[in-house]
Amino acid sequence: MDLLKKTITYGTGGECLTTQLTFDDDINVSDQNADIRNIVMQSGHVHVDEIRSGGGKIRMSGHLEFSVLYTSEEHGELSCIHGDFAFEDTVNYDGCKDGEKVTVLWSMEDLSAQMIHPRKMNVKAVVTFNLYPICLRQEEPAVGVSYPSDAETLAVTEQFTGLQICGKDTLRIKELFDLPGGKPDIDRVIFQNLRLHNVKTRAENGFLSISGDLSLFLMYRSADDHMPIQWVERQIAVGGQIESPHITDLMLSASCVQLAHTEISAEEDEDGEMRQISVEAVLQCDLILFEEQRMEFLEDVYMPEMEFSITRPETDMIVLDSCNDSRMKMNFNMPLHAQKPLVQIIDVEAAVKVEDYHPGEDGLVLEGVISVELLYQQADQENPYDSRHQEYPFSYIVQSQNGGNAGHSELLRISSSVEQVNAVLAGADEVEIRLTAGFCIAFCSKKSIRMITEIDMKPVPAEKIDNMPGIAGYVVRPQDTLWSVARKFYVSLASVREVNELNSDELKPGQKLLIVK
């Protein structure tokens, strides 16, 4: 039997894989830095440099960059130590094949620095990685029969939102802006931080559109030693496009964008003064796009007095159930327990970590913590700068098209970020935190489809046909179809229709049929 085949593209993927890495090392203070008096705060960012998959394993390598801000013995002057930890890790993943794309989302569970003595500190960190393997595959299922031409065929139609594009690309951002007019020139940058939030992706014809915001915080010292420490905050709108001829505006994007590399530097303006700040960033984009698909496969083949051996392997496809963007607002008061009266708030940074999720009556229930880091100035000449770290639990319901059943999806990816955070004084020793957290959740499941790839046929043994009655009566059962009845008695569909004067192929349980061989 000759089959008509058609190449189809579909997505496959496994469960979320989780691994956790611990870092612990002693860091010496360089000769350019002053002695440590008091550690103020620390920040860190993870860069995943390479992901390789194959042979039942996923290999990941990269580095954790950290900065430790501290006051020195010199009248509470601020200094900063920068460093990084390199890492390599291997995660077992049954069925992993070469070329499988892996999206990696990380969260900093803990980052702390402790002074050992004025020229040495210990830095510890715990980072959790969630890995989401996904890839495109191709299959050539049968969609019809070219020979023999009189064979009866039964087709089935499957309609779903399937994966059509997955890959990786980067988007480079470069911005240059002037210092505010009231700020002195930059002599030396002390501390810097760049955060990405409010990221949106949208499929358009020929490209993926990306938009978002970068939040810059920079502390610096001016050339005038009598001037206090200066700082600059800036919101930078970013946007760009990743070109791909295969992307259409009918696709749904579940793509993930993360900050991969940053470089911040002070530059001279037209007058030769250090009054410009250059910001360069590389955004790592994991392209994941779905599209509504309608596939028609060959379900069965039948010819009177012929038997068929059908090869019908099971194929698991990733299906997008829904993709939700949700926002959660929180207001809470944060006690500082400061040693001296508060002078002003310098910077506030927050991170949201989803630690658990489960289905609820109205949607998916997310549970986790909001981690807040506050940098402030206090009325203390010897120790003017200090910070406060606090974590606050939360529980939030994400409304979904699936309702409470959303948590039963076999593949579920959650990415979260703090999109906006502000801190205002609420008292002599208390700060009110106002923030908005964003959650991007792809509700996916696996759809199992059996597609015919090969069919062998041979004549029914003559004695089997001879032993069957020439005329038989049959009472239709609930699971019966016209196709199954005709095949059971080795007669044509047309014969059953004609003998029983059927106007349609629909049968009803209890209906009586006359079968004539």
Side-chain angles (χ1 to χ4, degrees), residues 413-482:
R413 195 189 72 195
I414 303 174
S415 58
S416 56
S417 64
V418 171
E419 299 188 347
Q420 185 177 9
V421 59
N422 293 303
V424 295
L425 291 175
D429 192 43
E430 196 170 49
V431 172
E432 182 184 4
I433 305 294
R434 304 169 183 170
L435 65 81
T436 301
F439 303 95
C440 181
I441 306 177
F443 296 102
C444 299
S445 57
K446 291 181 181 178
K447 185 177 183 65
S448 295
I449 298 177
R450 291 188 175 273
M451 298 179 290
I452 294 176
T453 56
E454 299 292 339
I455 298 179
D456 293 325
M457 66 177 187
K458 61 182 180 180
V460 178
E463 59 272 17
K464 187 173 182 178
I465 297 295
D466 293 340
N467 291 334
M468 296 184 67
I471 299 177
Y474 184 75
V475 179
V476 176
R477 299 176 182 177
Q479 68 273 20
D480 285 335
T481 63
L482 184 64

Side-chain angles (χ1 to χ4, degrees), residues 81-333:
I81 291 179
H82 306 282
D84 67 80
F85 296 126
F87 64 83
E88 290 186 3
D89 193 33
T90 299
V91 180
N92 293 324
Y93 171 38
D94 293 338
C96 180
K97 297 182 179 180
D98 295 342
E100 199 153 0
K101 308 297 181 183
V102 181
T103 298
V104 180
L105 301 180
W106 61 270
S107 62
M108 191 81 67
E109 303 298 332
D110 181 51
L111 176 61
S112 62
Q114 298 289 331
M115 183 180 73
I116 299 175
H117 57 70
R119 303 302 299 173
K120 180 180 286 190
M121 67 175 65
N122 176 261
V123 178
K124 296 179 180 179
V126 178
V127 182
T128 297
F129 297 87
N130 289 325
L131 288 71
Y132 300 88
I134 192 172
C135 73
L136 288 174
R137 304 197 190 282
Q138 288 189 329
E139 193 70 71
E140 290 190 341
V143 296
V145 175
S146 60
Y147 177 82
S149 58
D150 58 343
E152 304 240 26
T153 59
L154 181 65
V156 61
T157 300
E158 296 283 355
Q159 190 163 347
F160 53 89
T161 305
L163 181 68
Q164 283 298 286
I165 294 177
C166 71
K168 292 182 178 290
D169 210 328
T170 57
L171 181 65
R172 296 186 177 274
I173 305 296
K174 186 172 183 178
E175 293 287 337
L176 186 68
F177 63 91
D178 295 326
L179 284 176
K183 293 287 185 180
D185 295 0
I186 298 173
D187 181 62
R188 177 171 55 91
V189 174
I190 298 174
F191 182 79
Q192 61 191 34
N193 199 358
L194 197 64
R195 302 181 286 268
L196 177 67
H197 52 90
N198 293 335
V199 178
K200 303 285 188 299
T201 62
R202 185 178 71 255
E204 301 184 24
N205 288 327
F207 56 86
L208 181 72
S209 175
I210 300 174
S211 63
D213 295 301
L214 286 171
S215 295
L216 169 69
F217 174 71
L218 182 141
M219 299 184 75
Y220 71 93
R221 168 66 72 183
S222 68
D224 187 351
D225 292 337
H226 299 290
M227 292 285 290
I229 295 290
Q230 303 291 314
W231 56 86
V232 177
E233 295 177 286
R234 181 79 174 221
Q235 292 288 328
I236 304 170
V238 298
Q241 298 173 345
I242 293 178
E243 295 185 0
S244 172
H246 306 295
I247 298 178
T248 72
D249 57 5
L250 297 177
M251 292 183 176
L252 298 175
S253 175
S255 303
C256 180
V257 181
Q258 300 179 85
L259 200 57
H261 175 74
T262 62
E263 186 173 335
I264 304 170
S265 60
E267 296 186 0
E268 294 182 351
D269 61 10
E270 295 179 353
D271 299 324
E273 298 176 336
M274 300 294 285
R275 297 195 56 80
Q276 289 190 325
I277 299 175
S278 172
V279 178
E280 295 187 37
V282 177
L283 306 184
Q284 173 70 53
C285 182
D286 292 85
L287 284 77
I288 303 174
L289 293 107
F290 293 81
E291 188 175 31
E292 188 72 22
Q293 294 176 267
R294 182 182 176 88
M295 297 182 179
E296 188 172 280
F297 308 108
L298 185 62
E299 173 71 11
D300 203 358
V301 176
Y302 169 65
M303 290 180 65
E305 301 185 5
M306 299 295 292
E307 286 185 340
F308 297 87
S309 176
I310 298 177
T311 302
R312 197 195 312 265
E314 186 175 71
T315 301
D316 287 335
M317 300 181 177
I318 292 180
V319 176
L320 182 68
D321 298 326
S322 64
C323 192
N324 286 26
D325 281 327
S326 185
R327 303 290 178 271
M328 175 187 71
K329 292 186 177 181
M330 288 185 68
N331 288 4
F332 47 84
N333 286 353

